[in-house]
Amino acid sequence: MDFGAEDMVEVLIAEGELHEGHTRQTAAWLRDLVDGPVARVVDVGSGPGVAACLLAEEFPGAEVVALDPEESLLALAAERAAGLGVGDRFRTQRAVLPDELGDPGPADLVWASRSLHHVGDQQAAVTAVAGLLRPGGVLAVVEGGLSARHLPRDIGIGAPDLETRLEALGSAAYGSMRAELPGAARTVEDWPGMLSAAGLAHTGTRTFLVDLPPPLAPGDRQRVLARWRLRHGQTSEAVGAEDRATLDVLLDPDSPHGIQHRPDVFFLHALTVHTGRR
């Protein structure tokens, strides 16, 4: 299956919208960790701006600055902010971790959700974004947790435990991605330890659960479908013939066994947030 830039944007938006509850829950926790009022929030690796706009809503007195290396995604973020009525407190800035962050201004809260693992030297990335904080400000790093699940163990077609096998393939692909990044450095992924090494005081780690049980609302079903289209594109060459055939059925809009029609599709994901204060 071909998977182009437009498809990737769809997935990034779907990811942000599926995790809306997580973002809002985390924001409520972070509000009490920051020492003083939150006047500026910086979202590092904002993509198309779903979380950044949610943070603008959760911190109505704050300016939100969306940082991302892709100008096209920043344009989508600005467009989304304007459409949601928060554009007057929202700006974008191109930034590339760890050396080209620019100057978004002193931040009371820096949000880095599943973006730092895309940098070869993760410790350098943590140190760089920690440098954006004003004294008393908090860095929230969303990394780790448990992989998302969407289907029962036995879905009635193909061999049971499809998601377990796909998760193993995804883990191997993730390791290859990390090894091929520019400046790749092996780092013990002790995020509280990395926050401390960046000069921050570790202020807590919490895991928040995203639990969307069946039957999914139509919008959430389409978002899960976008995730599975990406999964198919990433694993189709690595899976066995039986699993490939099962994936084809799951993505078939006309099949009663497909994700678009199954009554048992859900979304369950545990995301861990590590925080440190300057």
Side-chain angles (χ1 to χ4, degrees):
M1 171 180 289
D2 293 330
F3 203 87
E6 290 185 4
D7 300 297
M8 195 64 228
V9 169
E10 180 187 5
V11 171
L12 291 173
I13 293 173
E15 286 284 297
E17 293 176 343
L18 282 169
H19 293 95
E20 176 180 348
H22 164 267
T23 302
R24 294 194 189 278
Q25 278 185 294
T26 305
W29 176 48
L30 296 174
R31 193 175 291 113
D32 294 330
L33 293 181
V34 178
D35 184 8
V38 177
R40 180 176 290 115
V41 178
V42 176
D43 182 357
V44 179
S46 64
V50 180
C53 289
L54 290 171
L55 292 170
E57 293 175 352
E58 291 296 313
F59 297 96
E63 175 191 51
V64 174
V65 186
L67 305 184
D68 200 89
E70 298 297 332
E71 295 279 10
S72 59
L73 295 179
L74 291 174
L76 289 173
E79 180 180 341
R80 186 181 188 91
L84 292 171
V86 297
D88 59 331
R89 297 185 290 108
F90 193 98
R91 61 185 171 93
T92 64
Q93 179 179 308
R94 184 177 184 275
V96 181
L97 282 168
D99 300 321
E100 300 176 37
L101 282 176
D103 183 17
D108 304 291
L109 173 62
V110 174
W111 174 267
S113 179
R114 295 182 291 171
S115 56
L116 302 188
H117 68 246
H118 290 288
V119 182
D121 187 336
Q122 294 179 104
Q123 181 62 65
V126 173
T127 301
V129 296
L132 299 176
L133 293 169
R134 56 96 172 153
V138 168
L139 168 60
V141 175
V142 185
E143 294 285 356
L146 298 174
S147 299
R149 289 300 173 101
H150 316 82
L151 292 168
R153 184 191 70 87
D154 192 335
I155 59 174
I157 55 173
D161 271 334
L162 173 66
E163 283 206 87
T164 300
R165 293 189 294 279
L166 294 178
E167 183 179 339
L169 290 174
S171 180
Y174 177 84
S176 297
M177 180 277 291
R178 287 278 319 143
E180 294 169 4
L181 287 171
R186 186 171 179 181
T187 304
V188 176
E189 292 177 350
D190 168 17
W191 293 98
M194 284 192 273
L195 292 170
S196 297
L200 303 182
H202 179 225
T203 49
T205 292
R206 285 185 63 180
T207 297
F208 296 89
L209 187 68
V210 183
D211 182 9
L212 304 178
L216 285 179
D220 288 332
R221 183 180 293 274
Q222 290 304 308
R223 294 174 187 115
V224 167
L225 179 62
R227 291 183 113 246
W228 276 80
R229 290 184 67 241
L230 173 62
R231 174 175 265 179
H232 188 289
Q234 291 176 330
T235 62
S236 60
E237 294 183 3
V239 300
E242 184 178 15
D243 283 346
R244 189 179 304 115
T246 302
L247 284 168
D248 289 340
V249 172
L250 287 171
L251 293 177
D252 183 350
D254 298 319
S255 172
H257 298 291
I259 287 172
Q260 286 178 292
H261 303 291
R262 300 184 66 94
D264 55 1
V265 178
F266 59 90
F267 184 70
L268 186 65
H269 197 184
L271 293 169
T272 301
V273 187
H274 312 275
T275 63
R277 182 187 296 118
R278 178 167 291 286

